[in-house]
Amino acid sequence: MIEMSSDENIVVPGEELAVIEEFSPLFGAYSDENGYVRASLLGKVAKDILNKVIKVTPLSSRYLFPSIKDIVIGYVAYIKGEIAMINILRDGNFRPLTGPLAGFLHISQIGAEGKHISEHVAPGDLIKARVISSENPFQLSIKHPSLGVILASCSVCGAILKREGDKLICPRCGNVEKRKIASSYINLKLTD
Ligand SMILES: [Zn+2]
């Protein structure tokens, strides 16, 4: 099998990999009703150009511990005062970290206008953040444009919000929500 693969080819479930005319899903992928091949798991994507098949290999459980300046992925657990508490789950490449790790995001580390932290993040949001302290719980920052909320759901109906410009819009009920959105917000193409 001739494969083209690299460490950068980390994909998340639902991510578009190819169109069915180009590649058939072999493992860890599926084709949707619109003819797109999508990842069905978190892993590394490999394309076999010769046989026109695509596969996603699950990431190995290499346990890592974040250090200062590292990028991490986590969920907003709750908000208290000027702080959002984060459950840190993955490193910037979505690899699992030694757990459980906690992070806290202070209003001063958002880098966007707004007095209340709830204007920028909400419980359940998946965020990408930079580690700025060296001990668990880690202090986090989302000041950079590449950092912030990468996936959020509608507070009214629970559907995954879609990014349109600087807003997040619910494809199901039309609710518009405000977040500090990361440039890498994951726009899933979901069908109900
Ligand atoms: Zn909604």
Side-chain angles (χ1 to χ4, degrees), residues 154 157 170 173:
C154 176
C157 76
C170 178
C173 74

Side-chain angles (χ1 to χ4, degrees), residues 33-183:
E33 57 198 70
N34 298 315
Y36 290 100
V37 177
R38 298 181 183 282
S40 62
L41 48 82
L42 177 76
K44 209 196 257 189
V45 64
K47 290 175 179 177
D48 180 341
I49 308 288
L50 215 58
N51 298 305
K52 297 188 174 184
V53 291
I54 199 162
K55 67 172 185 177
V56 179
T57 311
L59 294 177
S60 59
S61 309
R62 253 179 63 206
Y63 288 100
L64 305 160
F65 198 76
S67 37
I68 289 177
K69 290 186 180 176
D70 278 359
I71 302 296
V72 291
I73 308 284
Y75 280 100
V76 178
Y78 61 90
I79 287 169
K80 196 175 180 187
E82 297 184 316
I83 285 173
M85 290 305 296
I86 314 296
N87 285 337
I88 300 173
L89 304 173
R90 304 274 168 171
D91 73 2
N93 290 318
F94 287 91
R95 290 178 299 199
L97 294 160
T98 309
L101 298 177
F104 59 92
L105 181 64
H106 186 260
I107 182 78
S108 64
Q109 296 300 330
I110 302 284
E113 301 267 328
K115 279 183 195 163
H116 301 287
I117 197 152
S118 56
E119 293 171 54
H120 308 293
V121 294
D125 287 357
L126 194 60
I127 69 160
K128 186 187 252 190
R130 186 179 300 281
V131 173
I132 57 171
S133 73
S134 57
E135 276 174 44
N136 191 17
F138 297 90
Q139 191 175 1
L140 304 175
S141 168
I142 57 168
K143 279 185 175 178
H144 194 269
S146 66
L147 304 175
V149 175
I150 58 170
L151 199 63
S153 58
C154 176
S155 62
V156 177
C157 76
I160 301 286
L161 296 170
K162 201 169 159 38
R163 181 187 186 170
E164 282 180 27
D166 61 352
K167 290 190 187 105
L168 294 178
I169 296 170
C170 178
R172 190 186 289 162
C173 74
N175 180 36
V176 178
E177 302 204 13
K178 195 173 169 289
R179 297 287 200 282
K180 198 289 186 180
I181 308 168
S183 55

